[in-house]
Each structure stands twice: as C-alpha cells, then as structure tokens.
Amino acid sequence: MKRLILLLGLAMTMIANVASATNPPAKIDALGPGSRIHGMDISYYQHPGNSLIDFKKMYSAGIRFVIIKGGDSIDAYDAQALRYMIPDRKAAQAAAMYTSFYYYATLPSSSDQATITKDAKAQAQKVIWRIASLGGYGRRDLPVALDLENNCVSYSSTGCTHRASSTSVSLWAQTWLDTVAAATGRKPFIYSYPQFLETAMARSVALRQYPLWLAHYSIDPALKTNQPNAKTVGCYADSWTNQDCTTQWQIWQYTSCGIAGKYGVPGTRVDLNIFYGNNNDFLKLVRGLWQPDNTQMLPINEPTAMTITAQSAGTANDPVLFYVNVSRPNLTPVVTGTISYSPASSMMSAGVQSITRNSSGSWLVKITNLPAGSYVGTINFTDPSGTEAPTQAPVVFTVTPLPSPSPTPTRTGSVLPSPTPSPKPVPVDSCAGQIRN
C-alpha cells in the first residue's frame, strides 16, 4: 500500500510538473518604457572579474526577460559564452524571469552557395546541440536568437578587406534559421541593426517569417509613436519593413547604456530592450506560435513618377535649384531612395551637388560651381534598397555670366594672423544621445 501511495504521489507530481511546463504564468508585468515588457541582454562583459549578477535585484527593477550570449562561431568566444550562459539562465529563471540565448555568427569566406549552405547548417547544428544540452526549451524559454551584424569575411592589419554579398548573407541566414526551426519546432529570432538589414541582406518574404530583434538607439521608446528603423525622414528598407514605413519588430534593443547597477549588474552599462506586444503576444512566442504579417511588406521595384515642382537658375554665383517630388502608383510619396542631377553630355559640368530631403518623396537639389552656359540633363531618382523603381525627368537651364567686377583697392602693408591655439581633445562619450535608463 505504501508503495502504491508513493507511486501515486510521484504520478501527481509529474502531472503537476507537466501542467506547470505547459501553462506558464498568465501575467507578465509591463514595466518598461511605454508600458512595455522590459528586457535585457547580457554576456561575459557583465561578469567583470568573474563577478555575479544579482537577478533578484534585476527582477525587482522591472526586468522580465533576459537574453544571454550562449554561443559563437569562434571556438574561444563560444567557450567563454558557455561559461556564463548555463548559470545565468538558471539564476534568471529562478528569479521568475524568462530567458533566451543568442548566437554570434561569423560568415564563411566563400561565395559558393553550396559552401555557404554547408557552413550555415554546421553552425546551426552547434546551436541545436546546445539547446538539447539544456534539456530543450522549458516553460520560461524564448526561442534562440541569431546575432547577425557583421558581413566581413576577410581581414588585414588595416581592417576588413572583403565583405560577403547581400545574396550570400541572406542565403546563410535563411539556411541557419530554417535548420534551427526545423530541429526545435520554434522560430528563432534574428538580431541586427537597420543599416545592416537594408544594405547587407537581400529582402525576402522567407526571412520575414522569423521574428526580429532590432537594435536602434537614440530613439525614446517611452513615446508609443516612436519606432525603431526610422531615419530623420523615411525609414530603412529591409525584409521586416512595412508599407507604412514601420517595422515588424518583436524586441527592440533601445540602448546600450542602461545603468547596470540599477539592475544588479556589475559594471557601468548594459543593453536594455522592450517587447513589442502585450502579455498574450509574449506568451505566444514562448509557446512558439508567432506568425508574421506578410500583407504589409514593402514592394520590390515598384513603379514611380517624378514631378519637378519648381526650378531656378541665375548667374554663375547663384545656385541652380530644383524642387522635386517622387510618388508611388497610389500617389503617396516614396519612403526610400534619393535624387541626383546628371548632365546630358560628359562635356558639361555636373557642378557641386547638395541634396536636401525635405520630407518623404520631396527633395531640393542645389547645384553650385557651374560655369556660364546652357545646360541639358536629367534629375534622377534611384533607390539602392530596390523598393522603388528608378525614374527621371529632363531639365534645361541657363547660367548667365557674372557682371564685370569693380576694381579692388590695393592694401599696403601686411598683418600677420595671430596663431590659433590647438584645441584640446574632447573625450568621446559613447553613450551620447542614448537613453540612460
């Protein structure tokens, strides 16, 4: 009878554990900027002198999820990450926080597609084994993240000598993400920053299927109208950019200058993040149920139309000005691309051009240093991101000669200028302009 009671007790404990694992807490406090769920990412840098992190203090300060560096392409850095990932994950979860880990990727020095695919699968396998070594995903684990922010594949003493093409970067990322997703049943995050996503990766619907963890500093997330991925005018164009110029992000790393001690972290600064959605959205990610919205993805090579609303030209001392608008087929302004002037002949001067973007799809072209004469050319719109198709409009203008100058009076004697003291170097503040929460 005692044995039966013991077995029944064990069975009830197992059922309770299963229920606990499949039913995480229903409420996650949203204590970050903008009343969003607040998070942090850490690595061995947050363990100076092998010091420990006080995760209970971190929780008390409002942090509810922690993303820990847990892997690297380079063996020495991988071992360094592994040293802290396991104890940090355990301590953070014991303090009632959710955890994830990120893998920092170094790409292969090859343009061969088969080699790129093989390398991505091999690095994905390292991550799959790591997740398995933790016992798989638990009830407080967010999916793993791919940290992809460097496309340099060859270095010299002076720096990077060769970078992978956008096609190669996207192929590697897609292969890694697909491989990890297939093995774990959970869609991994991809972590990067807007300039990299726009210039170093090719846009695709397939990449958009994975949740984005976006790093973009100097924008205050406390204002709900503020969004990462924004430029002064317009936005960066990548696989996660929507047609209205917002971005389909799930986690926003909004500063690298969090006040470390406030959160129980040794050192002076730490990365802080907010989660995009609400409590239910967060738990969907924990359960691996997140799905993207593909209906709002930016177009590719969409037709455009240009209108020159005004132009002016005077003497060789005056700038030539063109006011230019470029629109999409639905007559709304383009949100990407830029403008330039090209003379019709190489025998004509192109002058010195200054392009000012007044608002989305609206530019002022200012051309100086043009000698007197008649000019024929085009105003050209191009979009390096590939969102909008190029277009142009013909222009004709005349620069008149300068009037004859008046004689200049002769000055006698000479005055030597006073020596200007060399300015003292100003210390660089790497946190200038960043949020310091």
Side-chain angles (χ1 to χ4, degrees):
M1 179 62 70
K2 289 183 179 180
R3 181 179 176 83
L4 179 59
I5 293 173
L6 178 61
L7 290 174
L8 286 172
L10 288 172
M12 293 299 293
T13 301
M14 292 176 64
I15 292 171
N17 288 339
V18 169
S20 176
T22 56
N23 295 287
K27 179 62 177 175
I28 304 167
D29 303 316
L31 303 175
S35 298
R36 298 188 188 273
I37 298 171
H38 210 191
M40 178 182 294
D41 59 277
I42 59 175
S43 68
Y44 74 98
Y45 288 113
Q46 278 66 56
H47 291 278
N50 201 31
S51 52
L52 299 179
I53 295 172
D54 185 346
F55 287 101
K56 291 183 179 179
K57 183 176 181 179
M58 187 184 295
Y59 182 90
S60 297
I63 298 298
R64 291 298 178 266
F65 67 94
V66 185
I67 306 176
I68 306 161
K69 183 173 182 181
D72 197 295
S73 301
I74 309 302
D75 286 346
Y77 299 142
D78 189 65
Q80 191 178 54
L82 184 59
R83 176 183 178 185
Y84 294 108
M85 182 195 72
I86 293 175
D88 281 354
R89 174 178 177 264
K90 182 178 180 180
Q93 292 191 5
M97 284 181 283
Y98 290 81
T99 63
S100 175
F101 79 87
Y102 68 91
Y103 176 86
Y104 185 90
T106 300
L107 303 180
S109 181
S110 176
S111 59
D112 176 65
Q113 290 193 359
T115 301
I116 293 169
T117 301
K118 184 178 180 180
D119 180 86
K121 288 182 176 180
Q123 294 200 47
Q125 184 61 64
K126 181 191 289 188
V127 171
I128 294 164
W129 283 335
R130 188 136 304 165
I131 295 171
S133 72
L134 298 172
Y137 286 128
R139 70 185 186 95
R140 288 194 172 273
D141 285 315
L142 290 163
V144 68
L146 169 64
D147 183 343
L148 186 57
E149 53 183 294
N150 183 11
N151 62 345
C152 186
V153 295
S154 180
Y155 294 89
S156 70
S157 58
T158 58
C160 184
T161 58
H162 182 66
R163 296 184 182 276
S165 69
S166 59
T167 302
S168 295
V169 175
S170 293
L171 173 61
W172 192 97
Q174 190 72 58
T175 303
W176 190 100
L177 293 165
D178 289 348
T179 303
V180 173
T184 63
R186 304 275 294 278
K187 290 181 178 180
F189 279 90
I190 182 168
Y191 166 90
S192 198
Y193 59 96
Q195 296 92 328
F196 187 90
L197 294 175
E198 180 183 72
T199 62
M201 299 185 73
R203 274 191 288 144
S204 76
V205 176
L207 283 171
R208 189 179 172 91
Q209 306 310 300
Y210 291 94
L212 176 64
W213 174 17
L214 189 65
H216 199 170
Y217 308 150
S218 305
I219 300 176
D220 189 354
L223 300 176
K224 283 292 186 76
T225 54
N226 285 347
Q227 292 288 326
N229 201 49
K231 298 180 180 178
T232 303
V233 178
C235 60
Y236 295 93
D238 56 60
S239 297
W240 293 268
T241 306
N242 299 320
Q243 291 184 20
D244 62 358
C245 220
T246 60
T247 294
Q248 185 176 266
W249 59 274
Q250 296 302 302
I251 295 176
W252 173 7
Q253 186 187 77
Y254 67 89
T255 185
S256 65
C257 295
I259 304 168
K262 173 181 175 181
Y263 302 98
V265 178
T268 58
R269 54 192 283 187
V270 70
D271 299 338
L272 296 175
N273 304 267
I274 54 171
F275 179 73
Y276 174 80
N278 58 27
N279 185 80
N280 290 335
D281 296 324
F282 188 90
L283 293 177
K284 283 181 181 179
L285 272 175
V286 174
R287 296 191 296 266
L289 302 178
W290 180 83
Q291 292 296 328
D293 179 3
N294 292 325
T295 63
Q296 292 298 315
M297 186 174 178
L298 277 183
I300 296 177
N301 208 35
E302 180 181 59
T304 56
M306 180 186 295
T307 303
I308 298 177
T309 59
Q311 72 177 72
S312 67
T315 69
N317 267 353
D318 301 319
V320 177
L321 304 176
F322 295 97
Y323 294 86
V324 183
N325 291 337
V326 180
S327 59
R328 301 173 58 202
N330 62 2
L331 302 183
T332 61
V334 296
V335 297
T336 55
T338 191
I339 290 290
S340 64
Y341 163 73
S342 296
S345 167
S346 59
M347 303 297 290
M348 294 182 184
S349 171
V352 177
Q353 300 183 40
S354 172
I355 311 298
T356 302
R357 188 171 185 174
N358 299 319
S359 62
S360 291
S362 178
W363 290 267
L364 168 62
V365 182
K366 180 180 179 181
I367 311 172
T368 56
N369 289 17
L370 286 174
S374 297
Y375 291 84
V376 178
T378 54
I379 300 295
N380 310 292
F381 169 77
T382 56
D383 184 3
S385 75
T387 302
E388 310 291 354
T391 190
Q392 61 180 209
V395 291
V396 177
F397 59 95
T398 300
V399 177
T400 59
L402 294 171
S404 299
S406 301
T408 303
T410 303
R411 183 170 62 183
T412 59
S414 62
V415 179
L416 295 175
S418 301
T420 303
S422 300
K424 295 181 179 180
V426 179
V428 176
D429 180 5
S430 60
C431 287
Q434 288 202 45
I435 308 300
R436 307 191 193 210
N437 279 352

